[in-house]
Amino acid sequence: MVNRNDVCAGDAVNRKLVKKTDELLSKERGAVFKEPGGRINVCLIYPNTYHVGMSNLGFQGIYTLLNDRSDTLCERAFLPDKDDIDEYVRTDTKPFALESKRPLNKFDILAFSVSFENDYTNILKILELANIPLRASDRNQTHPLIILGGVCAFFNPEPLADFFDVCFIGEAEEMLNEFIDTYKKSETRKGLYGKTAAIEGVYVPGFYNIKYNNGIDSREALDGAPEKIKRRYIEDISAHKFRQSIVTPETEFSDMYLIEAMRGCPWKCRFCVAGHIYTPARKKELTAIKGEIDNALKITERVGLIGPSLTDYTHISEVLKTEGVDFSITSLRASKKSAELAGLLKGHKSVSIAPEAGTERMRRVINKKITEDDIIETSRLIFSEGMENLRLYFMVGLPTENGDDIKGMVSLVKKIRDISKKGNIVLTLSTFVPKPFTPFQWHGMEKIAIVKERLKAIKSSLLPIRGIKVFHDVPKYTYMQGFFSMGDRRVSKVLEAMLRIHDWKKACIESGIDPDFYVMRNKDFAEKLPWDFIDADIGKERLWEEYRKALSEKS
Ligand code: SF4
C-alpha cells in the first residue's frame, strides 16, 4: 500500500471549487466518509460530469462494493463542469475527490468506470489536469495504479489499453475483491501485474505485444500472461450486494434509488451489445428485490427499476404493485403485458417502447421479433391507460436499410398517431453504430450524408403533425463513437492528439489514422478483430452465422 494520504503544500485546492463540491455533498444522502489511514485508497472516477455519473448504477454499485470492505476507502471524482475546467487550469488546481478533497495523485488506485465511448477523451483530460502521465509506460510506482472498468472495458478496451495498467473484462463484483486482496499482498508494481494477470477477467495490457499490417497481424502474450481473457460474470445477481448508496436531486433521475431487476436480455437483437455480452439473462429473486425496495424507502420513495427488458422480468407486476413506492421503469417491449404494466404506472406521464425499425423486413434483419400489430396494439393500450407521452425508439442507418424502410417508419408512426387524439408521441432516432460481440460487428456504418438525408426525410414528414416530437443524435458524434468502439491500440494516438486539437478528424489526420478503416468497411470473418482476445462465451462462428442470416433477411 503506497502512502499518499497526506495532502502536501502545493496541493491546495481552490476555495470556489471546494464550495461547489460541498454544495453537491450537502444534497446527497448515503455518501461514505472514512479515515484514509491504513486503508487502500481508491478514487472511483466517472469520465463525465457529476450529473451524468451519479445517474449510473454501475458507478454507484462499485462505490458501494468497495466501501463495504473495511480495508478499503472509495471516494469519487468526475470530469469538472465545462465552466470549471478553465478555473482548474487558471488556478493550477488538480482534480480532487469529492469526499476528502484530496487530489487524485494522493490515491493508491484510480478506477475509471466507462460506459460511453465518447467519454474516452474525458479520461485523458482528467489525467492531464491531474498532472499524471497519460501512458502506463510513462508511469511508475510513485503514481496511482490506474484501472479501467465498465461496459467499454468489457467489449473492447484496446483504444484505451495504452493508458491503463489493468482492465476488468466482464462483471466486476467478484473480480474486484480478488483484485484488492492481491493488491494488498503485492509489494512491487511488476509483482502486482504478474499476480493480477492470473485472476480470471483481469487484463494487463502491458503484457501484450501487437503487430499491425494494415489490420492486426499478430498478438503475442508476454511473461506467461494468458492469450485469451475470459470475461467474468456473476451467476446469481440476487446474492451480490451491488447496489446504489447515494441519492441526490442533482442527477438525471432526481432523488431516485435505482434497483437492478434483471441483467442481460433474452432477445439478442443483432445490433445490441448489451443483449450479447451480459449473458445469460439473469433475474433478481423477488425476496432480494423486495429487500432492496425496503432499503430504498428509508431514503426515498422514488425507485427506478433497471433492466434491458423489464417486460420479461418474472416478478414485474408484483413489484410494481408495492404500496407507497413511486416506480419508474426503462423501455418496455411492445407486447400486451407492457400495456398492463403501463396501467400499473398510473400517475406517470410517459412510457417507452422500442420498435427500432419501421418495416417487418427491417425488423427481421435486426432480429427484433415484434410485429407491426404488436407495436400498434401496445401503443393503443398504453394511450387507453391515459399516458401523456409515448416514447418510441427507432434506429437509422441499420444494415440493408433503404428508402422503403424509412417510409415504413414514417407510416408506422402516423398509424400510431391516428390511434388516439390524446397524448404525445416522442420519437427518438439513434444512428446505427456497429459494436463488438454483435452479429453486426463486421458491418460498416452508413455514410453520414445518407443518414442525414434520412433523418431529414423523417423529420419533414412527421414534425408538421400535431403531437409528434422528433429527437435524434448528431451523426458526426455517432461516427466518432463507432471509431472508438471498433478501434485498436493505434487509436490511442488520436485520443492523445484530441487533447490539443479539438477537431477529431484533424486529430486523425495528424496521427496518420484513417477512421473509415475502422468504421465504414464491411469486414471478413477471417479478419483479426481487436477484441478477439476476449473470450465472452459467445462464439465468433455463431455471430457470423447470425450476420449472414441478417443479410438474408431471416430472423
Ligand atoms: S430487446 Fe433491447 S436490450 Fe434486449 S437485445 Fe433487443 S435491444 Fe438489446
Side-chain angles (χ1 to χ4, degrees), residues 15-274:
R15 274 196 200 162
K16 184 175 150 199
L17 297 169
V18 166
K19 186 165 174 262
K20 191 167 175 185
T21 306
D22 282 338
E23 278 166 15
L24 287 173
L25 285 173
S26 71
K27 293 181 192 164
E28 291 184 343
R29 279 161 290 162
V32 180
F33 296 86
K34 285 184 180 177
E35 275 302 315
R39 292 191 164 98
I40 297 168
N41 284 218
V42 181
C43 188
L44 180 64
I45 306 173
Y46 196 89
N48 207 311
T49 59
Y50 176 93
H51 185 86
V52 178
M54 287 302 289
S55 313
N56 186 291
L57 180 57
F59 178 80
Q60 289 242 18
I62 298 296
Y63 178 78
T64 309
L65 283 181
L66 285 169
N67 277 319
D68 277 350
R69 291 182 66 114
S70 59
D71 61 358
T72 304
L73 159 154
C74 179
E75 300 188 352
R76 293 161 292 152
F78 301 87
L79 178 76
D81 288 340
K82 216 169 166 215
D83 299 342
D84 292 337
I85 288 186
D86 290 343
E87 181 73 6
Y88 275 91
V89 173
R90 191 183 64 75
T91 59
D92 193 25
T93 304
K94 306 285 177 273
F96 52 88
L98 261 63
E99 287 83 352
S100 67
K101 320 290 184 296
R102 285 178 297 157
L104 301 187
N105 63 0
K106 299 294 168 193
F107 285 80
D108 298 304
I109 297 173
L110 302 182
F112 282 85
S113 172
V114 187
S115 303
F116 300 105
E117 298 91 333
N118 288 0
D119 287 342
Y120 289 1
T121 47
N122 297 340
I123 298 171
L124 301 198
K125 186 79 212 161
I126 292 168
L127 292 177
E128 186 189 48
L129 286 170
N131 202 19
I132 294 173
L134 304 182
R135 289 190 173 257
S137 56
D138 294 331
R139 297 192 296 263
N140 57 41
Q141 191 120 351
T142 65
H143 297 108
L145 185 83
I146 304 193
I147 63 181
L148 172 68
V151 66
C152 293
F154 190 159
F155 64 67
N156 181 18
E158 288 307 87
L160 295 170
D162 288 340
F163 307 119
F164 282 88
D165 300 300
V166 170
C167 307
F168 286 177
I169 309 290
E171 298 168 11
E173 284 96 326
E174 285 166 355
M175 202 178 354
L176 193 59
N177 280 324
E178 289 168 26
F179 174 81
I180 296 286
D181 291 340
T182 308
Y183 180 88
K184 277 171 72 178
K185 288 185 223 142
S186 306
E187 292 189 352
T188 64
R189 199 53 71 85
K190 197 155 185 277
L192 171 73
Y193 290 157
K195 283 184 202 148
T196 53
I199 300 173
E200 192 172 271
V202 172
Y203 172 49
V204 181
F207 280 151
Y208 298 85
N209 186 11
I210 297 154
K211 293 206 172 89
Y212 300 93
N213 177 9
N214 208 8
I216 294 171
D217 187 40
S218 66
R219 188 183 160 90
E220 186 191 0
L222 309 171
D223 294 338
E227 296 211 348
K228 286 237 169 195
I229 304 293
K230 195 158 174 52
R231 63 102 197 211
R232 284 294 279 274
Y233 82 98
I234 303 304
E235 276 183 35
D236 180 3
I237 61 165
S238 306
H240 274 270
K241 299 222 162 21
F242 188 84
R243 62 186 191 284
Q244 180 165 334
S245 284
I246 302 165
V247 169
T248 168
E250 296 293 324
T251 66
E252 198 181 328
F253 314 110
S254 177
D255 274 330
M256 189 181 285
Y257 189 98
L258 304 175
I259 296 178
E260 184 181 38
M262 236 181 122
R263 193 177 295 185
C265 176
W267 296 102
K268 299 203 173 2
C269 302
R270 289 178 178 135
F271 58 84
C272 176
V273 67

